[in-house]
DNA sequence: TATCCGACAGAGG
DNA sequence: CCTCTGTCGGATA
């Protein structure tokens, strides 16, 4: 169960009549305990209570009691030896009127009226195993609001199905945004009297809900009508009082239609309104409720939000750090403080993938904080903010988040005013809302950013080819940015090339606009980097995005980065790969990097390197490579053949067999072949898994000349036919046309004559060396490993070196942060000095020693042997020796560290690409 | 034809 | 459940 589901469950529980016997079980069930767990507690088997209550080991001790004895009961629970013995985290006592609980670890307590205990659900979330993310209990309000709005939304769509169709979705979303505004406004004093909106709806609408939509519609109309015009508009007195001011700002203009409310929907509405909306966090809340309007995402309601610290990883280096440094520098100098304030007023923040606006909101809040400090130092604490909300611009594809983004900014502005200037001044300046809409709903890759975020005073015209896509009113909004700065930021969508729609591919191709031959390889997020670079070329500014880390790896680098560099942009700062946490259940954790680009300046570049232990180390330097390492930008292009005398490395066999040609050990047994048949028709096959963890797989291996003989064996011919059928049905043209004609074989039929050196394509980053090994002439490879067929052993020594690992880790792609080997990107590009005969002899011996050391530990697997915590000393020594021999060949001594290794490799690579010119095609065996 | 990638995916503790 | 670590096959050039 996720937090939203739990909130719903305990809200339901609190609404039911109190049953002292059932309550403990119902409470535990609401927190996601399984029926069987509850059953065992009921039966008493796992109930450790010594007081007649319910005590779940390592969780909670619950005791219901007679009226008026709650406090005493809690004390009894605390004193109970069973509570300690069962390591309970919480104790809870209630009589159905009062409710008290204590978190025994922190000593924090909750005491409230029984019906209000769901307000404290965040307190109990550890019961559901939700402890890892602190934020969720800190933002309990946002989850409750999300949960209740979701119920309302779903209920309304049930009653008004036509509002769920595409053409009415916007109306529905706009309606929800209006409601949220009203809930916020009624609790923050913007409307007269706390809870005035909800109260009015409750009073004026019939209990049977028949006229709820009319009451709400009337209130909306009032908020869209200036006082002086209300009489003429026939607005009834109850809606036209001072309690409901003129709001507008586009929020209450447009269609005034309100969906019809069932009785249930009406009660949900009143329920949502009952929350204390002053506690809303516009940044968190916004991204949580996005899912409300998304049919596919609704199952993970409240699970997707970007954490504030992660957003600051973008915003701080982008411009906030600099502003704070200037504030520091200004000290109490009134003139400098004034200049800084003037600068703040002209800063624009532009998020071209703004979602519900959390980057914008956080940037806005941070700037207000700086402004407030300036005003404090200048003795002007009451001064109206000079930071215009309209300078926080966004583009969002989805309608509902776009609505919410603007609302979130409006709420943030009000909250900042209250915080820094006081409630009274905040109220005085709040209404009416500005009429402009600074959040554009549309496709950021199709819209012209220069017209949505136009640089003023530079005379840049709209780009003609995008003009037709741009809503005209966007270009008419004045920016208060004369002579100001623009900062582009955000977390755009990532989508690998395999998963993009034709539409999305076309967008990327159009954005690249002929500047690369291979736009088809780019991740969708690359479009934002290219557009940002183009924007900066015309209008200046800086940009930083959270991005899948793959844009700084492997094949993407030579496609994307030359394009960005050609606009005159450079990487100014970056965060290296880290896991981007959200709470979605099946989310394995996407690995991201943050990259900031802009016109080069003389200033230092900042590289924030994530270390293995989770800490971040900041390194300053003059240049950052597109692989996010320190150093001048070298770009490694893939090659079809190695430099110099390295052996040829080939891709493994792709089965494309639907499991018919590959066999487990058991599968092989069950074929029931004779010894002779096995000799002829079966080979061992290795994938990465098989090699690293020591599995055993086999494959059916039928040479063309043995085909007719194989077909006489029924088990084989059945499998061959199954493969033929599968390949004929494949969406892959190659599989249908070529592979289906030889269904008795894997895609390739490569196998060594004497031996094969193999390298797994993906392996854990924890290992200190790349796993590489050697297999015999009866063993072939899947497409998950690379093979050097019959290659001299010294090649293995090179692959097993620290030097090679550093190269692969830098220039190849990654799967999350794990090593992903590539022959074209990593092996064929690996720079090696010319090797003498003595060199190869020495290296061969090193390779043999490594293999021998491994054999001493038979039957340990590669995974066992190369576990950094338990790697055997003799194997480590063999590798040390190997590294020493290799590094002497490179520079006559050992390298000091990986940084030096990489520098040398890039230097050699640059030399070799210049000397060798274009690669020479080497014929394959 | 060869091969890079995955807002992942599936196994295991 | 959360942690760990590499399958599999489509899309590309």
């Amino acid at each position: 169960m996720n937090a939203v589901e739990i909130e719903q469950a305990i809200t339901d529980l609190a609404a039911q009549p109190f049953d002292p016997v059932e309550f403990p079980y119902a409470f535990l069930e609401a927190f996601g305990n399984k029926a069987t767990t509850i059953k065992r507690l009921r039966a008493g088997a796992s109930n450790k209570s010594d007081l007649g209550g319910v005590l779940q080991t390592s969780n909670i001790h619950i005791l219901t009691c007679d009226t008026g004895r709650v406090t005493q009961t809690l004390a009894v629970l605390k004193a109970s030896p069973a509570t300690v013995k069962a390591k309970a985290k919480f104790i809870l006592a209630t009589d159905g009127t009062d409710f008290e609980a204590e978190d025994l670890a922190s000593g924090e307590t909750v005491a409230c009226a029984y019906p209000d205990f769901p307000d404290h659900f965040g307190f109990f979330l550890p019961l559901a195993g939700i402890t890892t993310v602190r934020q969720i209990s800190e933002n309990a309000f946002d989850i409750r609001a999300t949960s209740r709005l979701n119920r309302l939304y779903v209920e309304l769509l049930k009653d008004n199905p036509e509002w769920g169709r595409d053409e009415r979705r916007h109306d529905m979303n706009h309606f929800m945004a209006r409601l949220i505004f009203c809930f916020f406004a009624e609790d923050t004093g913007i409307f007269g009297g706390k809870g005035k909106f909800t109260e009015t709806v409750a009073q004026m609408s019939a209990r049977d809900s028949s006229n709820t939509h009319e009451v709400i519609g009337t209130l909306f109309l009032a908020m869209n009508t200036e006082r002086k015009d209300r009489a003429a508009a026939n607005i009834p007195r109850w809606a036209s009082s001072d309690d409901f001011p003129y709001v507008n700002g586009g929020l209450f203009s447009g269609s005034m239609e309100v969906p019809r409310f069932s009785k249930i929907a009406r009660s949900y509405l009143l329920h949502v309104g009952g929350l204390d909306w002053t506690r809303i966090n516009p940044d968190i809340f916004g991204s949580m409720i996005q899912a409300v309007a998304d049919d596919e995402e609704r199952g993970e309601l409240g699970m997707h939000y970007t954490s504030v610290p992660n957003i600051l990883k973008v915003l701080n280096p982008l411009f906030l750090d600099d502003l704070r440094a200037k504030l520091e520098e200004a000290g109490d100098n009134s003139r400098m403080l004034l200049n800084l304030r003037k600068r703040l007023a002209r800063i624009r923040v532009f998020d071209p993938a703004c979602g519900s606006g959390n980057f914008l909101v956080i940037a806005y809040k941070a700037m207000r904080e700086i402004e407030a400090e300036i005003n404090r130092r200048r003795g002007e604490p009451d001064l109206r903010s000079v930071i215009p909300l309209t300078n926080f611009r966004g583009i969002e594809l989805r309608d509902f988040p776009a609505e919410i983004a603007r609302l979130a900014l409006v709420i943030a502005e009000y909250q900042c005013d209250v915080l820094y200037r006081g409630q009274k001044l905040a109220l005085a300046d709040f209404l009416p809302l500005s009429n402009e809409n600074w959040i554009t709903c549309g496709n950021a890759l199709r819209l012209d950013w220069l017209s949505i975020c136009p640089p003023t005073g530079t005379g840049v015209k709209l780009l003609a080819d995008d003009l037709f896509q741009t809503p005209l009113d966007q270009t008419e909004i004045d920016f208060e940015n004369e002579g100001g700065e623009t900062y582009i930021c955000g977390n755009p969508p990532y989508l690998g090339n395999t998963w993009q729609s034709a539409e999305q591919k076309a967008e990327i191709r159009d954005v690249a606009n002929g500047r690369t031959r291979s736009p088809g390889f780019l991740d969708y997020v690359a479009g934002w980097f290219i557009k940002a670079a183009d924007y900066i070329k015309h209008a200046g500014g800086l940009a930083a995005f959270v991005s899948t880390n793959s844009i700084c790896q492997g094949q993407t680098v030579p496609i994307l980065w030359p394009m960005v560099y050609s606009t005159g942009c450079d990487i100014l700062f970056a965060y290296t790969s880290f896991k981007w946490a959200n709470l979605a259940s099946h989310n394995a954790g996407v690995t991201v990097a943050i990259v900031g680009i802009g016109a080069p300046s003389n200033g230092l570049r900042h590289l924030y390197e994530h270390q293995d232990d989770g800490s971040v180390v900041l390194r300053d330097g003059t240049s950052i490579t597109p692989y996010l390492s320190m150093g001048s930008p070298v770009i490694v292009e893939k090659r079809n053949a190695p430099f110099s005398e390295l052996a040829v490395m080939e891709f493994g066999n792709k089965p494309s067999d639907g499991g018919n040609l590959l066999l487990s050990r058991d599968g092989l047994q069950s074929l029931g072949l004779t010894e002779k048949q096995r000799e002829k028709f079966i080979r061992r096959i290795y994938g990465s898994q098989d090699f690293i963890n020591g599995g055993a797989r086999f494959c059916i291996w039928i040479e063309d000349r043995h085909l007719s003989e194989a077909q006489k064996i029924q088990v084989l011919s059945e499998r061959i036919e199954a493969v033929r059928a599968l390949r004929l049905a494949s969406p892959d043209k190659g599989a249908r046309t070529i592979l289906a004609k030889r269904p008795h074989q894997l895609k390739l039929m490569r196998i060594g004559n004497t031996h094969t050196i193999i390298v797994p394509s993906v392996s854990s980053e924890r290992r200190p060396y790349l796993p590489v090994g050697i297999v015999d002439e009866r063993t072939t490879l899947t497409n998950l490993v690379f093979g050097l067929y019959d290659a001299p052993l010294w090649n293995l020594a090179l692959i097993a070196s620290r030097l090679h690992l550093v190269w692969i880790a830098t220039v190849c792609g990654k799967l999350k942060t794990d090593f992903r080997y590539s022959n074209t990107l990593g092996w064929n590009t690996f720079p090696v000095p010319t090797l003498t005969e003595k060199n190869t002899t020495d290296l061969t011996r090193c390779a043999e020693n490594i293999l021998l050391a491994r054999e001493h530990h038979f039957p340990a697997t590669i995974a066992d042997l190369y576990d950094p915590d338990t790697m055997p000393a003799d194997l480590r020594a063999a590798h040390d020796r190997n590294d020493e021999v290799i590094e002497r060949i490179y520079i006559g001594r050992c390298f000091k560290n990986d940084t030096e290794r990489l520098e040398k490799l890039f230097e050699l690579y640059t030399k070799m690409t210049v000397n060798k010119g274009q690669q020479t095609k080497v014929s394959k065996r």
Side-chain angles (χ1 to χ4, degrees), chain A residues 575-611:
Chain A
Y575 270 86
T576 56
S577 298
F578 62 100
K579 278 205 172 61
W580 189 258
N582 71 34
L583 301 176
S585 53
H586 64 262
N587 192 329
V590 54
T591 309
V592 300
I594 291 169
V595 185
I597 59 173
S601 68
N602 295 326
L604 284 179
R605 312 290 193 258
H606 307 295
L607 185 64
Y608 299 84
E609 283 186 320
H610 280 266
Q611 309 293 304

Side-chain angles (χ1 to χ4, degrees), chain A residues 617-810:
Chain A
V617 169
L618 170 60
R619 295 178 65 204
D620 290 343
T622 52
S623 179
I624 295 175
T625 72
Y627 300 98
L628 304 188
S629 61
M630 269 299 170
S632 37
V634 179
I635 289 177
V636 176
E637 301 265 1
K638 57 167 102 164
R639 298 174 54 89
N640 288 332
F643 285 125
S644 63
E645 67 256 76
L646 294 184
V648 171
M649 181 185 287
E650 293 179 57
F651 200 70
N653 284 323
K654 191 177 220 169
S656 297
D657 72 328
N660 287 296
L661 294 177
L662 263 57
L663 306 159
S664 66
R665 193 180 285 284
D666 290 347
L668 175 61
Q669 291 299 336
S670 66
L671 284 188
L673 298 179
T674 65
E675 186 66 29
K676 264 199 147 153
Q677 289 168 331
R678 281 196 201 185
E679 179 77 16
K680 196 174 247 165
F681 297 122
I682 300 297
R683 295 287 182 278
R684 185 156 188 186
I685 190 162
Y686 271 127
S688 288
Q689 175 85 259
D690 311 305
F691 172 61
I692 294 171
N693 292 313
R697 282 200 293 172
F698 301 87
C699 70
I700 296 172
W701 182 267
I702 303 168
E703 311 262 357
D704 288 336
R705 61 198 156 94
H706 296 142
L707 178 57
S708 58
E709 187 185 345
Q711 279 168 328
K712 290 192 190 101
I713 305 168
Q714 197 186 346
V715 283
L716 294 185
S717 66
E718 277 168 8
R719 281 171 180 261
I720 292 169
E721 285 317 306
V723 172
R724 190 197 312 276
L726 182 109
R727 288 180 181 172
L728 284 172
S730 165
D732 181 3
K733 197 172 150 218
R736 284 199 307 273
T737 53
I738 301 167
L739 287 181
K741 291 201 178 106
R742 33 178 278 261
H744 57 294
Q745 292 177 339
L746 305 176
K747 192 163 183 174
L748 305 169
M749 290 295 276
R750 300 251 159 73
I751 197 160
N753 291 320
T754 60
H755 68 277
T756 306
I757 297 174
I758 75 170
V759 193
S761 68
V762 173
S763 69
S764 167
E765 61 168 335
R766 291 179 65 239
R767 298 186 184 116
Y769 294 97
L770 292 172
V772 50
I774 190 160
V775 298
D776 64 26
E777 80 287 355
R778 291 193 53 80
T779 303
T780 184
L781 319 172
T782 77
N783 58 332
L784 279 314
V785 290
F786 293 92
L788 298 92
Y789 299 96
D790 303 317
L793 209 50
W794 56 262
N795 288 281
L796 186 145
L798 288 176
I799 299 167
S801 70
R802 181 79 202 164
L803 205 56
H804 195 55
L805 177 134
V806 168
W807 182 251
I808 296 298
T810 307

Side-chain angles (χ1 to χ4, degrees), chain A residues 20-257:
Chain A
V21 177
E22 280 303 308
F23 174 81
Y25 303 111
F27 186 85
L28 287 170
E29 198 179 352
F31 276 92
N33 281 286
K34 291 204 178 70
T36 53
T37 313
I38 305 282
K39 210 172 175 181
R40 278 167 49 211
L41 277 171
R42 258 183 220 281
S46 55
N47 185 357
K48 306 290 183 211
S49 179
D50 53 352
L51 302 170
V54 174
L55 172 53
Q56 188 181 29
T57 307
S58 306
N59 252 341
I60 188 165
H61 197 171
I62 307 174
L63 187 56
T64 54
C65 59
D66 294 336
T67 311
R69 297 195 47 84
V70 171
T71 307
Q72 292 95 317
T73 306
L74 197 73
V76 171
L77 280 168
K78 195 164 185 181
S80 146
T83 302
V84 181
K85 195 158 167 245
K87 299 197 181 90
K89 291 191 201 112
F90 292 93
I91 48 175
L92 188 172
T94 182
D95 57 3
T97 309
D98 291 312
F99 180 101
E100 290 190 25
E102 181 171 341
D103 178 342
L104 293 169
S106 66
E108 212 180 316
T109 57
V110 160
C112 63
Y114 176 80
D116 296 336
F117 83 80
D119 292 343
H120 302 278
F121 89 102
F123 179 84
F124 292 110
L125 277 179
L127 286 180
I130 302 179
T131 45
T132 41
V133 180
R134 245 206 107 59
Q135 263 176 315
I136 203 161
S137 53
E138 286 167 7
N139 299 311
F141 171 83
D142 301 291
I143 291 175
R144 303 200 71 196
T146 303
S147 155
R148 295 190 185 186
L149 283 169
N150 178 53
R151 292 175 148 207
L152 176 60
Y153 193 94
V154 171
E155 195 62 33
L156 284 173
L157 285 188
K158 219 191 276 171
D159 302 336
N160 305 272
E162 72 284 0
W163 284 65
R165 293 204 190 92
D166 286 351
E167 60 274 19
R168 292 303 298 277
R169 258 309 159 91
H170 174 75
D171 292 339
M172 182 68 190
N173 295 338
H174 199 56
F175 170 72
M176 291 302 283
R178 286 169 176 172
L179 275 187
I180 293 167
F181 176 82
C182 291
F183 294 140
F184 175 74
E186 70 175 353
D187 284 352
T188 43
I190 293 166
F191 292 170
K194 185 133 179 136
K196 198 68 197 174
F197 174 79
T198 307
E199 193 187 308
T200 306
V201 174
Q203 280 172 3
M204 299 308 299
S205 66
R207 285 191 151 257
D208 68 1
S209 80
S210 56
N211 68 340
T212 310
H213 62 289
E214 289 162 9
V215 171
I216 295 173
T218 306
L219 288 170
F220 284 177
L221 183 62
M223 291 180 236
N224 189 35
T225 312
E226 292 195 49
R227 286 261 152 67
K228 58 183 170 58
D229 302 327
R230 286 188 179 179
N234 273 335
I235 292 170
R237 183 161 314 164
W238 56 265
S240 137
S241 74
D242 284 350
D243 291 345
F244 299 106
Y246 173 62
V247 177
N248 204 337
L251 195 58
F252 289 98
S253 58
S255 165
M256 277 296 148
E257 212 182 323

